[in-house]
Amino acid sequence: TGSVGAMTLRDMARVELDNILFKGNIAEGGSAGGLYLGAYDRHLEANLTNVHFEDNACSSNGGGLYTDSNAGPRVNVTVRNCSFVNNRAANVGGGACVLGPGGMARLEDVSFLRNEAASHAGGLYVSEHGASLQNVLFEENVCSNEGGALVATGGDDDQYALVLNTISFLRNNATSHGG
């Protein structure tokens, strides 16, 4: 319990996480119920393999995972064979929230199941960040506003792209746009 639920990794050159479980963590005063990855003074390359986020919560963004950077350094994150289950965010990204500006998120063989957010994206929220999703399942995610499963927004220039390949959207719900 605190401003980050379980783990903060910031301004590291490289991070490798394998076979990790983040379960039942709470960030009462901020973002990242489970894991926070940040780049403020240097680029961060992160690889998450077989990492599972379950029953985490936060009072802001990224119930399970939250990434963030400032105008210079970038966070590039690869997420493989991972799951986001029953995570909650009081703002955006019930399962995960990936914020720029800049950087790239690659998700392969990932599941977003029964996550919840109040404002945007019950499953995954991506803003000012490129994203490539392959073989990703979004099932029964809920948002009180828009994007039951996924919300992706660009920025002030044309550098951000969203690529989706073999994606399943099953029984997600939003009260406004993109249920």
Side-chain angles (χ1 to χ4, degrees), residues 15-166:
V15 170
E16 299 278 340
L17 298 179
D18 193 4
N19 293 311
I20 307 287
L21 173 64
F22 293 93
K23 184 172 182 174
N25 301 290
I26 300 171
E28 289 180 354
S31 297
L35 173 63
Y36 170 75
L37 298 172
Y40 292 94
D41 296 321
R42 65 183 311 164
H43 295 298
L44 170 63
E45 297 287 331
N47 291 301
L48 284 61
T49 306
N50 300 312
V51 177
H52 304 284
F53 299 87
E54 185 175 344
D55 298 322
N56 300 289
C58 69
S59 63
S60 190
N61 304 320
L65 170 67
Y66 177 71
T67 73
D68 190 16
S69 62
N70 67 15
R74 307 282 190 253
V75 174
N76 294 316
V77 60
T78 300
V79 180
R80 287 189 183 96
N81 300 316
C82 295
S83 63
F84 297 84
V85 181
N86 293 326
N87 300 289
R88 295 176 321 281
N91 193 24
V92 302
C97 178
V98 179
L99 300 179
M104 185 67 182
R106 291 175 182 81
L107 284 73
E108 301 170 6
D109 302 312
V110 175
S111 298
F112 290 89
L113 309 172
R114 297 176 303 281
N115 299 288
E116 184 176 344
S119 180
H120 295 82
L124 173 63
Y125 182 81
V126 179
S127 180
E128 294 188 31
H129 211 85
S132 173
L133 283 66
Q134 181 171 330
N135 196 29
V136 175
L137 170 66
F138 293 93
E139 186 170 359
E140 296 180 359
N141 298 285
V142 176
C143 182
S144 299
N145 188 16
E146 65 180 16
L150 171 67
V151 171
T153 65
D156 293 334
D157 55 41
D158 295 329
Q159 71 180 6
Y160 308 109
L162 175 66
V163 178
L164 303 177
N165 184 11
T166 315

Side-chain angles (χ1 to χ4, degrees), residues 2-21:
S3 62
V4 172
M7 183 186 295
T8 297
L9 301 172
R10 187 173 66 205
D11 293 328
M12 309 279 294
R14 186 171 178 84
V15 170
E16 299 278 340
L17 298 179
D18 193 4
N19 293 311
I20 307 287
L21 173 64

